[in-house]
Amino acid sequence: MSRDVYIAGVAMTPFGRHDARSMQDLAQAAVLGALADAGADQNRIQAFYNANVYGGMVLGQVLMRDLGITGPALYNVENACASGATAVHLACQALRLGLYDTVLVWGVEQLTRLGGGTIPLQRNDYKTELYAAQGMTLPTVYAMRGSRYLHERRETPEILARIAVKNRAHGARNPYAQQRKEVTVEEVLNSRPVAEPLTLLQCCPSQVDGAAALVLTTVKPASSRRPVRVLGSAVQSGHLEEGCDDILDAEITARTARLAYEEAGVGPRDVGVVELHDAFTIAELLYYEALGLCEKGGSADMLRRGDTALGGRVPVNPSGGLLAKGHPLGATGVAQMVEIAWQLQGCADGRQVEGARIGLTQCTGGGIAGVDHAASSVHILGV
């Protein structure tokens, strides 16, 4: 019999450059913060889930060893940018099946140790060398989507810049965000070109460190704050593309969202706040449509009306999103859920979405040749 899953405690570190802190420091700070927020002792935790992309083998055990967290099951999860959200999904499955009563999930990454440049391509994909030789990095893939969007929708690059302006304005209110400076449309469009039509301020920072953690339980928390439940949790992988697919159709996200909505028993119109995977500005516009927040073809008008800004019908990325908050891969999906939990409990000081009772997180991951994405995850939370 399936059981309700509650978020008992949350915590995260500020995202940014942490030269003086190790990955162990970051992970432990988030874990201890989530335990304290839940009012739980680590001995109450029956299983641990560590999400990370570039940290190496048995990273979770290495990170937690010095806290004395040894013995219980500890799962290491890697699913590219969707690693953290995938770890949450697996934890929810185990809780609902009754394998555990209380677990802890964290995600951590220290990308500044990789040096500069874009995030490295998938190394074991046999087509990577061919695609890379043609300049197919993730920024160029999203640039093609952006160019196609502007052409088909008869829009100008300003519509893409508006996403960066909105999310960076939100991020300026978030003490956990890496970049806390508001920008104008002109500043976005005049920033350094990356891949036409994308400029630097339309791409999420690739040099960022951070960690986030959640305590999940089937025991309804006794806290005075409103208990947040995981209403729906879905993860899917991408279909093989046939070569003539619509690059503006985020099929994997739409499919994953349908599963999450069905499980939660809600629809897009019920959602009051969203954290989604805006690694590049064009992605957010495509995900409005894939998540059902607007009709197909309606994303630009939705943005222009202010529907997705703070104070709008359904604020998107009040944290600043990946564009402003940063994108430490393994931590991103967990941090999205931390933000939504704060929003639903009325704890998001300075960027609070008023009246939201249902929130959604969406995270995709993995640019491999021949598929839309390697993984997509959608979670729906409610109070």
Side-chain angles (χ1 to χ4, degrees):
M1 179 178 178
S2 180
R3 303 188 294 174
D4 287 339
V5 175
Y6 296 93
I7 297 178
V10 302
M12 62 180 287
T13 69
F15 284 3
R17 190 174 190 96
H18 291 281
D19 292 334
R21 305 177 76 180
S22 67
M23 193 183 299
Q24 186 180 51
D25 294 331
L26 296 171
Q28 290 181 2
V31 164
L32 293 175
L35 287 170
D37 190 47
D41 183 86
Q42 67 189 49
N43 295 319
R44 176 184 158 193
I45 308 299
Q46 297 164 303
F48 299 86
Y49 295 77
N50 166 67
N52 177 266
V53 178
Y54 288 109
M57 291 194 302
V58 295
L59 179 68
Q61 287 87 337
V62 172
L63 296 178
M64 293 298 110
R65 174 192 57 206
D66 294 342
L67 289 181
I69 295 178
T70 58
L74 198 159
Y75 305 94
N76 290 290
V77 179
E78 185 277 307
N79 214 10
C81 306
S83 296
T86 302
V88 172
H89 175 70
L90 295 173
C92 288
Q93 285 184 324
L95 289 165
R96 285 175 173 150
L97 289 171
L99 298 180
Y100 310 115
D101 295 321
T102 304
V103 302
L104 196 149
V105 183
W106 76 88
V108 63
E109 208 77 52
Q110 199 160 33
L111 294 178
T112 57
R113 301 297 171 90
L114 297 180
T118 61
I119 294 170
L121 292 170
Q122 181 74 5
R123 293 186 178 90
N124 62 352
D125 181 353
Y126 69 98
K127 291 186 179 180
T128 289
E129 184 175 346
L130 172 64
Y131 275 60
Q134 299 179 58
M136 291 289 283
T137 63
L138 283 176
T140 56
V141 169
Y142 279 94
M144 286 194 298
R145 290 174 176 150
S147 295
R148 191 67 186 175
Y149 184 95
L150 298 182
H151 170 72
E152 288 195 7
R153 306 293 174 83
R154 298 182 179 181
E155 295 285 352
T156 66
E158 178 186 346
I159 198 66
L160 301 177
R162 281 173 174 258
I163 294 288
V165 170
K166 172 182 73 72
N167 290 354
R168 291 174 184 277
H170 292 174
R173 305 180 177 201
N174 183 4
Y176 293 89
Q178 180 185 31
Q179 298 185 4
R180 301 189 60 199
K181 182 176 181 289
E182 295 192 34
V183 294
T184 65
V185 168
E186 291 73 24
E187 287 173 326
V188 173
L189 293 176
N190 291 328
S191 62
R192 179 168 60 82
V194 173
E196 190 178 359
L198 300 180
T199 60
L200 185 65
L201 291 177
Q202 296 182 58
C203 308
C204 70
S206 62
Q207 296 297 295
V208 57
D209 312 323
L214 305 167
V215 175
L216 300 174
T217 182
T218 56
V219 180
K220 187 173 183 179
S223 169
S224 59
R225 294 175 301 184
R226 292 186 290 183
V228 177
R229 273 197 305 142
V230 180
L231 303 178
S233 173
V235 172
Q236 293 281 280
S237 59
H239 289 310
L240 185 65
E241 296 177 329
E242 300 300 325
C244 57
D245 300 85
D246 182 358
I247 61 174
L248 301 187
D249 179 21
E251 185 277 333
I252 184 175
T253 293
R255 173 161 41 97
T256 309
R258 285 194 297 270
L259 293 173
Y261 285 135
E262 181 179 353
E263 182 183 344
V266 302
R269 298 294 299 186
D270 298 310
V271 175
V273 59
V274 174
E275 284 284 313
L276 59 70
H277 191 100
D278 59 324
F280 303 90
T281 50
I282 179 58
E284 181 165 323
L285 288 167
L286 299 183
Y287 293 146
Y288 290 171
E289 300 178 18
L291 295 171
L293 303 178
C294 66
E295 72 281 0
K296 185 173 177 58
S299 54
D301 287 341
M302 186 182 191
L303 176 66
R304 271 191 286 261
R305 286 193 303 266
D307 290 355
T308 58
L310 283 169
R313 177 175 66 81
V314 53
V316 173
N317 288 326
S319 71
L322 281 60
L323 286 170
K325 186 174 61 179
H327 183 25
L329 310 179
T332 291
V334 182
Q336 288 179 326
M337 298 190 72
V338 170
E339 176 69 19
I340 294 297
W342 280 335
Q343 290 286 349
L344 297 181
Q345 292 179 329
C347 300
D349 294 342
R351 61 190 187 282
Q352 182 63 52
V353 175
E354 299 300 332
R357 299 189 63 84
I358 294 178
L360 180 149
T361 68
Q362 174 267 342
C363 200
T364 55
I368 63 174
V371 299
D372 178 3
H373 281 94
S376 181
S377 62
V378 173
H379 286 85
I380 298 173
L381 310 182
V383 292

